[in-house]
Amino acid sequence: MNQTLQAVIFDLDGVITDTAEYHFQAWKAIAEELNIPFTREFNEHLKGVSRIDSLKLLLGQANPPRAYSAAEMDELADRKNKLYVELIAGITPADLLPGIDVFLSELREAGIKTGIASASKNAPAVLRSLGVTSRFDTVVDVTRLKNNKPDPEIFVTAAASLGVEPGACIGVEDAVSGIDAIKAAGMFAVAIGSGSQFPKADAVLPSTAELNYRELAQRFAETRR
């Protein structure tokens, strides 16, 4: 049965704006404090991963390993977040990634609903700084979720909030865990990045500047016939 595209659901970091550098700087500060090596290559593994799970991955690099109490973990995660919030305070509408403003306008004109499915608890604050809060019909509250990406819960929740079936949605991500979550939700998956990174994606675009409503709607329709 043919299925009509009804919604596009976006990740935030690396898709709407790029705060990856701020995450890197904040995590690096924590790593240096703990004498744990931290590189940009390792930072790639933290994309799309929740704060506490990112911290667990970071602490797993410690040599010799050390056990941390739940209270210590919470304190470290909170400290990282405060550093990150300080760094993103200067975000402005000029920090929207290329093509996003036009793509959002195309979706609005076509009557396509939009949502944000980000693992970041700071997503609402970032959207306000970018001046685009009103351009999204829903922003998933990650504090209410039980599972993190690659579990599909966040994308399924976004679709439900929009009142559409997952199969009628396109998900846009820049992380492998995010693409896995989109596919597990039964959505059409659009990856931003290198094709070799995303073998499971339905479409891979080198940058957000390539996002085009008509082209993606056509490709979506071809997979739903």
Side-chain angles (χ1 to χ4, degrees):
M1 183 177 68
N2 289 352
Q3 196 159 30
T4 304
L5 175 62
Q6 298 179 44
V8 176
I9 300 170
F10 302 82
D11 181 33
L12 178 62
D13 294 337
V15 174
I16 301 300
T17 190
D18 190 358
T19 62
E21 179 63 22
Y22 303 130
H23 280 296
F24 170 75
Q25 291 178 24
W27 280 125
K28 186 172 176 60
I30 296 296
E32 288 178 347
E33 176 187 323
L34 301 174
N35 292 315
I36 297 174
F38 191 77
T39 65
R40 291 187 181 276
E41 289 74 20
F42 180 78
N43 187 59
E44 291 296 308
H45 296 293
L46 308 186
K47 282 188 174 181
V49 180
S50 71
R51 190 183 312 152
I52 200 69
D53 285 342
S54 291
L55 178 60
K56 289 176 182 177
L57 288 172
L58 172 63
L59 296 179
Q61 301 301 299
N63 187 18
R66 182 200 149 180
Y68 289 82
S69 68
E72 287 176 317
M73 295 276 286
D74 287 341
E75 194 275 332
L76 286 168
D78 184 61
R79 194 128 44 86
K80 181 269 173 181
N81 187 56
K82 287 178 179 177
L83 289 169
Y84 173 72
V85 169
E86 290 174 5
L87 290 166
I88 64 172
I91 286 179
T92 72
D95 292 305
L96 275 176
L97 284 174
I100 291 298
D101 182 62
V102 172
F103 187 52
L104 289 174
S105 294
E106 291 176 345
L107 295 175
R108 184 68 67 183
E109 290 171 9
I112 304 298
K113 296 179 180 180
T114 54
I116 292 288
S118 169
S120 174
K121 295 177 182 178
N122 296 300
V126 173
L127 292 172
R128 284 194 297 272
S129 295
L130 291 168
V132 294
T133 301
S134 64
R135 303 181 74 176
F136 294 97
D137 300 300
T138 192
V139 179
V140 176
D141 180 358
V142 292
T143 64
R144 296 178 177 272
L145 302 183
K146 295 180 179 178
N147 304 301
N148 301 314
K149 301 171 187 178
D151 188 277
E153 183 182 11
I154 191 168
F155 285 98
V156 172
T157 300
S161 178
L162 293 170
V164 301
E165 292 296 321
C169 299
I170 286 176
V172 186
E173 267 277 3
D174 75 322
V176 172
S177 62
I179 292 298
D180 288 344
I182 291 169
K183 294 300 293 181
M187 299 180 181
F188 183 95
V190 176
I192 306 298
S194 169
S196 61
Q197 290 180 285
F198 302 104
K200 297 180 182 179
D202 296 293
V204 182
L205 304 176
S207 77
T208 54
E210 305 299 317
L211 288 167
N212 179 282
Y213 166 66
R214 291 186 181 277
E215 291 180 6
L216 287 179
Q218 182 177 348
R219 295 179 70 169
F220 172 89
E222 289 171 354
T223 66
R224 295 299 192 260
R225 287 173 184 163

